[in-house]
Amino acid sequence: MAWLEITIDTASREVETVAQGLTARGFSDLVIEDEQEFEEFLEENRAYWDYIDENLQQQLQGLSRIKLYLEDTDEASLKRLRAYAEEAGLPTTVSPLAQTDWEESWKENYPPQEIGADLVVLPCWLAQDYEGSRKQVILDPGLTFGTGAHPSTQMVMEAMEQAVFPGARCLDLGSGSGILSITALRLGAEQAVGVDIDPKAEDIARENAGYNGFSSPEFTALTGNVTSDKELMERLAAESWDVVLVNIVADVIIGLAPVLPLFLGENTKLICSGILDSRLNDVTAALTAAGITVEQTRAKEDWRCVCAHREA
């Protein structure tokens, strides 16, 4: 099946109106590329700015357009679309797309990723065909943050190869897809508990754990915010943890710093990542103020990961 990509250029202030006009005429599945809308998204999600794709931000500069896709045989819809665009005075470009299997082609973006000395992250559809000897961390990628592609996640996994030992108990704050909890269990941990503020992450992490053959009590997924949920904080603080993982962003780690010592025993290893180099000093200062000693810093591209422990 061949497709046409239709691009409609418009002013940023008119994007919503044009989108409504297209929807009213039976066109759905619109792709909106608008700098102003993207900037509004950034403003509403300040806590996650560290993970914004700067290349994407640059690509959207000055852009305001809507894209949609039609089968190349759908002449009636194309005629209706052209008529609307002409009536509204909207510049329109129609480009043929090469034939491809759209439902499967996206999977090409998720090849196996070898990480550290003995780990490999595999999308679930490749797990059965993997013939290597590395420890497999199997995921359904794209569902939530944590596919193993980001340097921050890779550094944590590399540090975990040294920190996690057989029988260890691991607490994963900001667990997302559950990738780090699953890694801990693959490395021999007895139990991993993943906590995320997004309730969707709980189900996704539990599903990913299932791909790896892990379930309760080995893996437990929880929803909550340990800085504001006193009951959850006390519940987790009452446990004994050998490794605590915090792979989020600098501002969130700084906010967590005052309560992190509650989860750290005398020999607990703390691994924090998701820290831009420009924010490293802010994070280490917050950890130090909370009575936590940074013992090692890892670097990959612009990102930093710190390994630490509670002061005696």
Side-chain angles (χ1 to χ4, degrees), residues 63-102:
L63 271 187
S64 182
R65 64 190 181 190
I66 298 174
K67 290 184 177 181
L68 64 155
Y69 300 86
L70 298 175
E71 294 181 23
D72 66 349
T73 56
D74 192 353
E75 296 180 2
S77 294
L78 182 59
K79 183 178 180 180
R80 190 169 72 253
L81 178 63
R82 287 186 187 277
Y84 167 67
E86 184 176 349
E87 176 187 344
L90 299 168
T92 304
T93 303
V94 180
S95 304
L97 293 177
Q99 287 187 327
T100 186
D101 185 346
W102 294 102

Side-chain angles (χ1 to χ4, degrees), residues 15-196:
V15 165
E16 186 173 347
T17 300
V18 174
Q20 290 174 349
L22 290 167
T23 302
R25 287 162 177 79
F27 299 103
S28 57
D29 298 327
L30 306 177
V31 178
I32 297 175
E33 298 178 346
D34 180 62
E35 180 184 18
Q36 181 174 323
E37 185 173 274
F38 186 65
E39 294 298 334
E40 290 174 355
F41 168 82
L42 294 185
E43 188 64 28
E44 294 170 1
N45 295 271
R46 284 177 173 269
Y48 303 98
W49 273 12
D50 288 357
Y51 285 108
I52 295 302
D53 187 331
E54 294 181 359
N55 291 330
L56 174 60
Q57 196 169 9
Q58 292 174 0
Q59 291 172 17
L60 288 175
Q61 284 183 358
L63 271 187
S64 182
R65 64 190 181 190
I66 298 174
K67 290 184 177 181
L68 64 155
Y69 300 86
L70 298 175
E71 294 181 23
D72 66 349
T73 56
D74 192 353
E75 296 180 2
S77 294
L78 182 59
K79 183 178 180 180
R80 190 169 72 253
L81 178 63
R82 287 186 187 277
Y84 167 67
E86 184 176 349
E87 176 187 344
L90 299 168
T92 304
T93 303
V94 180
S95 304
L97 293 177
Q99 287 187 327
T100 186
D101 185 346
W102 294 102
E103 292 185 357
E104 297 295 322
S105 61
W106 67 276
K107 293 182 178 180
E108 297 175 0
N109 296 317
Y110 295 100
Q113 298 178 83
E114 295 186 350
I115 298 173
D118 199 29
L119 294 167
V120 60
V121 178
L122 293 170
C124 53
W125 56 85
L126 293 180
Q128 290 185 340
D129 298 326
Y130 180 73
E131 297 180 353
S133 60
R134 286 173 172 254
K135 295 180 173 66
Q136 298 181 25
V137 178
I138 304 168
L139 301 174
D140 185 351
L143 295 178
T144 190
F145 177 76
T147 64
H150 199 279
S152 64
T153 305
Q154 294 174 4
M155 286 189 289
V156 177
M157 294 174 70
E158 291 165 357
M160 290 174 69
E161 286 188 312
Q162 298 179 10
V164 177
F165 54 86
R169 301 184 72 252
C170 299
L171 175 62
D172 180 7
L173 300 177
S175 54
S177 66
I179 183 172
L180 298 181
S181 294
I182 296 167
T183 298
L185 295 170
R186 277 283 183 244
L187 291 171
E190 177 184 344
Q191 184 182 27
V193 174
V195 184
D196 202 286

